[in-house]
């Protein structure tokens, strides 16, 4: 085994694909997904601390044994209200929510049609579901229509992200939802990068007038704009009951820690009460894009193609050295093989931080001021 592990390490080294998990502090953060700056908001932290005192550190069991607490129920109610959905089911992460919903809806009788750029958690869920699956080119609505028209299975699910995590562009939700309605298919939208961001924070599905539509369901993570941890499936009561009773990542996984649930609950309240946060974040994202010479993305993520994995690694290291943390996306995180710097804007970036970070990124990329 050691010989094989060492040979794999060699291959990663030669291809510029070495990843590390190192604690970094003191850098201007353009790498995290804390889009609204809520992870350190004193109200969010206080809610988590109070839940720790009330419920203890861990949930102690699966949601269907005795892991469900008042903190989970409050969170589901707040998520439902924020997104305008009929019901919500909270999971321990966005990853397990996606695995859970795909396996609960999939199987030989369900055709799954998905954008080629959807997140790894959705792709893993599709594989696990043993459904027949069609990957369509990124943002190819006509190809979705053609796959729906050609289907032979009794059911179909179309899977998209509302705002794509790597490219930062927005899906054509209204058009795809209309196709799904025509072909009696379910549209499943991963709003990991949409909730807290699009539609004054209520998500792109809400902004498109699709919240509560019977043929549209949503998955969410609580670990990005909501500043906490966890994930959710949002949709009809019927969908919630089905997922609760069949998703193995719900039934066989310990529930989300109550403190994380309480933090996310408070974050949902803040997002609804303070829509100016998402507007400020989007203004910061647009300013950052302009200074770095790229078109403004649909959400917080500004994706800058830089070519090879080695160049992405070198630029990221140079920016770290000048005090700015950026995301470095290389294969297999980039489905088209093009490595990218991924800059995320935050609502709580100060003008001075924004200026310093944008100057450093523009200089590294050779963009003229
Ligand atoms: C589009 C998308 N879906 C799902 C996830 C998984 O969410 P979590 O980090 O809560 O497991 C992520 C996070 O990276 C994501 O970007």
């Amino acid at each position: 085994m050691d010989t094989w592990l060492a040979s794999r390490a060699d291959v990663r080294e030669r291809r510029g694909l070495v990843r590390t998990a190192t604690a970094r502090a003191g850098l201007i953060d353009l790498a995290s997904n804390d889009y609204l700056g809520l992870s350190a908001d004193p109200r969010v932290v206080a809610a988590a601390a109070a839940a720790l005192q009330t419920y203890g550190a861990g949930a102690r069991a699966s949601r269907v044994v005795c892991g469900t607490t008042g903190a989970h129920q409050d969170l589901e109610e707040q998520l439902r209200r924020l997104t305008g959905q009929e019901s919500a089911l909270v999971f321990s992460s966005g990853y397990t929510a996606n695995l859970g919903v795909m396996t609960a809806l999939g199987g030989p009788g369900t055709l799954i049609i998905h954008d080629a750029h959807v997140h790894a958690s959705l792709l893993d869920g599709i594989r696990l579901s043993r459904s027949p699956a069609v990957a369509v080119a990124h943002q190819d609505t006509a190809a979705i229509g053609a796959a729906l028209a050609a289907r032979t299975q009794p059911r179909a699910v179309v899977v998209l992200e509302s705002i794509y995590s790597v490219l930062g562009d927005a899906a054509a939700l209204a058009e795809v939802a209309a196709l799904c309605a025509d072909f009696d298919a379910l549209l499943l939208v991963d709003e990991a990068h949409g909730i807290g961001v699009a539609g004054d924070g209520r998500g792109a599905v809400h902004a498109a007038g699709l919240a509560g539509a019977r043929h549209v369901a949503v998955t969410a993570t609580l670990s990005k704009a909501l500043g906490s941890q966890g994930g959710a499936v949002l949709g009809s009561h019927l969908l919630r009951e089905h997922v609760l009773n069949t998703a193995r990542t719900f039934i066989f996984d310990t529930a989300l820690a109550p403190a994380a649930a309480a933090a996310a609950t408070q974050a949902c309240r803040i997002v609804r009460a303070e829509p100016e946060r998402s507007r400020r974040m989007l203004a910061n994202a647009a300013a950052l894009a302009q200074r770095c010479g790229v078109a403004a993305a649909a959400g917080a993520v500004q994706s800058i193609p830089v070519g090879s994995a080695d160049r992405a690694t070198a630029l990221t290291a140079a920016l770290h050295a000048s005090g700015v943390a950026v995301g470095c996306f290389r294969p297999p995180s980039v489905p088209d093989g093009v490595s990218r710097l991924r800059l995320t804007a935050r609502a709580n970036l100060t003008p001075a931080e924004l200026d310093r970070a944008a100057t450093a990124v523009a200089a590294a990329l050779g963009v003229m001021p």
Side-chain angles (χ1 to χ4, degrees), residues 93-96 98 119 121 161 165 190 192-193 221-224 230-231:
S93 73
Y95 210 110
T96 53
N98 279 341
H119 190 257
S121 53
E161 289 180 38
S165 60
D190 182 335
H193 304 274
T221 168
L222 319 177
S223 64
K224 301 190 192 297

Side-chain angles (χ1 to χ4, degrees), residues 65-195:
V65 181
C66 61
T68 297
T69 66
H72 298 90
Q73 287 166 340
D74 290 348
L75 173 56
E76 288 176 348
E77 177 57 18
Q78 286 302 321
L79 279 169
R80 200 190 65 68
R81 286 193 202 177
L82 175 67
T83 58
Q85 295 286 351
E86 195 173 277
S87 73
L89 186 67
V90 164
F91 283 70
S92 62
S93 73
Y95 210 110
T96 53
N98 279 341
L99 289 185
V101 76
M102 292 318 316
T103 49
L105 294 175
T110 305
L111 174 67
I112 297 183
I113 302 162
H114 65 92
D115 189 287
H117 279 226
V118 294
H119 190 257
S121 53
L122 291 163
L123 297 176
D124 288 353
I126 293 166
R127 281 189 202 116
L128 261 182
S129 76
R130 299 199 182 94
S131 296
V134 177
V136 298
H138 185 53
Q139 301 279 24
D140 191 343
T141 305
I144 294 174
L148 281 170
R151 109 175 188 233
T152 53
Q153 296 75 11
R155 294 173 298 283
V157 181
V158 175
V159 185
L160 306 176
E161 289 180 38
S162 60
I163 297 181
Y164 283 87
S165 60
V166 174
L167 296 182
D169 56 337
L173 289 183
E175 288 86 338
V176 179
L179 271 178
C180 288
D182 286 350
F183 286 98
D184 191 23
L186 180 75
L187 172 61
L188 182 78
V189 185
D190 182 335
E191 284 255 56
H193 304 274
I195 288 173

